[in-house]
Amino acid sequence: MNELQHLKRLSALRSGTGIKFLTPAVAPGSHCPMRIASVNVENISGLSSLLVGMPECTTYSRLFNPKPEGRNGELHWLYVLDANEVVFGCRAGLTAALKKMARAGAKAIVLIITCVPELIGEDIEGILEEMRPELTIPVTFVMLGQFKNTSYPSGSWKTMEAIGTLMKVQETDCRRINVLGRSPIEKHIPLSPLLPALEGHGLRLRCLAPGASLEDFQSAPDAALNIVVSPFMEPLAAKMERQFGIPYIALHTHYAVEAIDRVYTDLAQRFNFSWGDEFAESRRQALTLQREAQNRLQGLRFVFSLRIDIALPLAVYLTALGMEPLLLHLEEFYPEDKAYAEKLTAMGHNPWICRMTNEAADLPLLEKLAPDICFGYLPELSGAIPCVPEMLDFYGQTGYDRTGSLLSRILGVLDKLNMSVKGGPAYGTASL
C-alpha cells in the first residue's frame, strides 16, 4: 500500500521518535509528557517539583496542578524563562530557585525540563553537579521536550526512572518485595491474585507508583526483589538492578501460560516455598483457552489500534498463537521493547509501526489493509473490521487470570462473527 510507505517496519525502529503518524490528519489529543510528569510527581507525598519552561508550559501546568503547595507541604513551583534565558541559558536563575525551594522546606525535588531548555542545550546535569556542595536536599531531573517525546508515556516512565536517583543503598530485607506499578491507594484496579498469595507466604510487599510516598521510594533499595506490573515502571526496575543489584521480574509482559509457569516457579524457589494448588484452577482455565485459541487463530491477520498499553509483548504472544501482525499502533517504544521487537522479527514477521491519533482519518486505511481482526479502539461507525475493543482494562493485571480473560474476549468476538477459520474475502472476514 502506497499510503503506508512513509512508515517504518518494526525492524527499523530504534526509539519512539521513529514512530510516524499513520495519516497527516493529526489530532491535538496526545498529551504533552510534561503534563503526566507533573501529575505523577504531585501524587507522590513528600516530593516537590520545579517545572522549567516558557509561559505557555507553565500556564498549561496550572490547569491540572493549580496549587503551588501540596497536601503535605510539598512545593510545586514554576520557573518561567525570560527572553534573555532563552538565548543565554538559565543557570543562575535555576540555581537560585533550587536554593529557595530548599530553604522553603522541600525534601526532594524533581526538575521537569520542557522543550526550550532542551532545544538550547541547557546542561541541567552540569548545573546540578556544580551545585552539589551547596544543595542540602536531593534533586533529580527529567528531560521532556515534546519534540523528542511525541506522546505521553515518556512523561511517566522517564519521571519514575529519574526518581531512582533519589534512592540510597539500604540493608537488604530478604522477605521484602517491591511491587512496581501498583499504587498503595488505588482501589479501582483489581488486585492481581498473585500479590495476596505472596503475602500469605510471609512476604512483605511495598507498592511503588504515584500514590506512594517519597519515603517509600527512598526505602525501596532494601528489597530482595522487584516485581513489575506496569510498563511505566520497568525502566526504574532496570535502573535499580544496575544501581543496587536488585533483580526484577516483569510480570506484565507474560501472557503465555508456560511463561507464567516459569515466573511463578522462580518466585517460589527464590523465597523457598511451594504454591501447592493455589493457582491450579485459573491455570487450567487459561491453558484450555490457550489451546482453543491456537486452533482458531491460526493465520488470522491482525492490527493494533488505540488504547493498548503493553503492545509488543502482546503482539509476540498473539503471533506465537499463529496470528500474523500487519500494522501496530505503538503509543510508546519503551527501552525494554527492543527485545520484544527482536522476538517478533525472529518469528518471521516485520509489521508496519505507526502512531494513530485521528481515528476518523485512520480508519479508511485500516479498512483498506483488510485485517481479519483489530485489537484496541475503533470508532463505532466501523463495521468492516471485527474488533477486540478497549484493551486498557487489563492494565495492572497479571498471570493466568489476565490471560484467561484476554483469550475469552478474543474467542467471544470470533464466536459472535463465526470466524473460527481464516478465509474471508479481500476485505477481511467481517463481511461473511
Side-chain angles (χ1 to χ4, degrees):
M1 288 178 58
N2 292 332
E3 297 93 334
L4 302 181
Q5 294 306 309
H6 66 290
L7 301 179
K8 288 186 176 182
R9 294 283 188 174
L10 179 60
S11 61
L13 197 62
R14 297 293 178 266
S15 70
T17 56
I19 305 175
K20 308 298 183 183
F21 293 102
L22 180 57
T23 65
V26 177
S30 294
H31 294 302
C32 174
M34 169 268 291
R35 176 188 187 277
I36 305 301
S38 296
V39 170
N40 283 348
V41 173
E42 183 188 16
N43 289 327
I44 297 175
S45 174
L47 183 59
S48 297
S49 65
L50 179 63
L51 188 146
V52 183
M54 299 300 289
E56 53 268 38
C57 300
T58 54
T59 300
Y60 175 47
S61 73
R62 280 292 181 241
L63 295 177
F64 47 83
N65 192 357
K67 296 181 179 180
E69 293 84 25
R71 292 182 292 273
N72 299 294
E74 304 90 355
L75 304 176
H76 300 295
W77 289 7
L78 308 173
Y79 188 97
V80 182
L81 299 168
D82 62 29
N84 182 71
E85 290 173 317
V86 168
V87 178
F88 299 106
C90 59
R91 177 180 295 264
L94 192 56
T95 298
L98 290 172
K99 292 179 179 178
K100 186 174 181 180
M101 290 184 73
R103 290 194 302 270
K107 298 177 181 177
I109 301 171
V110 174
L111 279 171
I112 301 172
I113 308 300
T114 58
C115 289
V116 170
E118 192 162 4
L119 279 169
I120 65 174
E122 189 65 88
D123 183 9
I124 302 299
E125 186 174 9
I127 293 173
L128 295 182
E129 186 62 32
E130 184 180 292
M131 287 187 67
R132 194 169 303 282
E134 305 173 68
L135 286 173
T136 57
I137 58 173
V139 179
T140 188
F141 69 97
V142 57
M143 307 295 286
L144 290 177
Q146 195 171 12
F147 63 97
K148 288 186 177 180
N149 303 275
T150 310
S151 194
Y152 69 89
S154 57
S156 185
W157 72 260
K158 288 187 176 182
T159 302
M160 294 298 103
E161 184 182 36
I163 290 174
T165 307
L166 304 177
M167 300 175 179
K168 294 182 179 180
V169 175
Q170 307 281 337
E171 184 177 348
T172 301
D173 178 347
C174 64
R175 305 299 289 176
R176 170 71 72 181
I177 296 176
N178 292 322
V179 182
L180 277 64
R182 182 165 184 91
S183 169
I185 62 173
E186 67 188 5
K187 304 298 181 185
H188 62 290
I189 297 177
L191 188 67
S192 173
L194 175 65
L195 302 183
L198 287 170
E199 290 182 318
H201 286 278
L203 296 163
R204 292 180 291 277
L205 306 186
R206 178 194 291 118
C207 293
L208 293 179
S213 68
L214 173 63
E215 290 75 16
D216 289 333
F217 280 94
Q218 290 179 321
S219 301
D222 70 351
L225 179 70
N226 285 330
I227 290 178
V228 185
V229 298
S230 163
F232 301 133
M233 301 298 287
E234 191 168 356
L236 173 59
K239 182 170 187 173
M240 292 176 70
E241 185 173 55
R242 295 191 303 270
Q243 192 167 329
F244 304 109
I246 304 173
Y248 77 91
I249 294 175
L251 287 178
H252 64 290
T253 58
H254 295 298
Y255 290 91
V257 171
E258 299 79 7
I260 298 169
D261 288 344
R262 290 192 292 271
V263 169
Y264 282 29
T265 299
D266 182 15
L267 281 168
Q269 290 176 347
R270 280 177 183 270
F271 296 103
N272 196 29
F273 66 86
S274 173
W275 289 116
D277 294 331
E278 288 180 73
F279 299 102
E281 181 56 25
S282 59
R283 182 188 185 279
R284 184 193 64 78
Q285 292 177 3
L287 188 58
T288 299
L289 290 166
Q290 183 171 281
R291 288 168 177 164
E292 182 181 355
Q294 285 174 322
N295 290 327
R296 299 180 63 186
L297 296 176
Q298 283 292 327
L300 293 182
R301 300 158 302 144
F302 71 90
V303 297
F304 279 176
S305 184
L306 302 165
R307 303 179 190 174
I308 296 179
D309 62 328
I310 312 173
L312 282 179
L314 177 58
V316 169
Y317 179 54
L318 295 174
T319 303
L321 292 176
M323 302 189 76
E324 177 187 349
L326 300 179
L327 178 144
L328 304 178
H329 160 78
L330 296 186
E331 194 67 50
E332 179 68 20
F333 191 72
Y334 298 95
E336 294 72 28
D337 277 344
K338 294 178 182 178
Y340 294 97
E342 292 172 359
K343 285 183 180 180
L344 198 56
T345 54
M347 296 166 76
H349 296 279
N350 198 18
W352 298 109
I353 302 299
C354 72
R355 183 174 283 119
M356 303 182 198
T357 59
N358 191 319
E359 59 267 21
D362 295 336
L363 180 59
L365 278 183
L366 294 183
E367 292 178 340
K368 188 174 181 180
L369 195 60
D372 294 298
I373 195 165
C374 172
F375 293 86
Y377 170 78
L378 286 181
E380 292 184 4
L381 56 91
S382 173
I385 306 174
C387 185
V388 180
E390 293 294 350
M391 305 295 288
L392 289 181
D393 58 348
F394 292 118
Y395 177 82
Q397 299 304 295
T398 61
Y400 304 116
D401 296 87
R402 179 182 62 167
T403 296
S405 298
L406 169 69
L407 295 176
S408 293
R409 186 174 299 183
I410 297 171
L411 295 172
V413 171
L414 298 188
D415 289 338
K416 185 176 180 180
L417 295 163
N418 194 25
M419 287 176 56
S420 59
V421 295
K422 186 179 182 294
Y427 290 94
T429 56
S431 58
L432 288 177

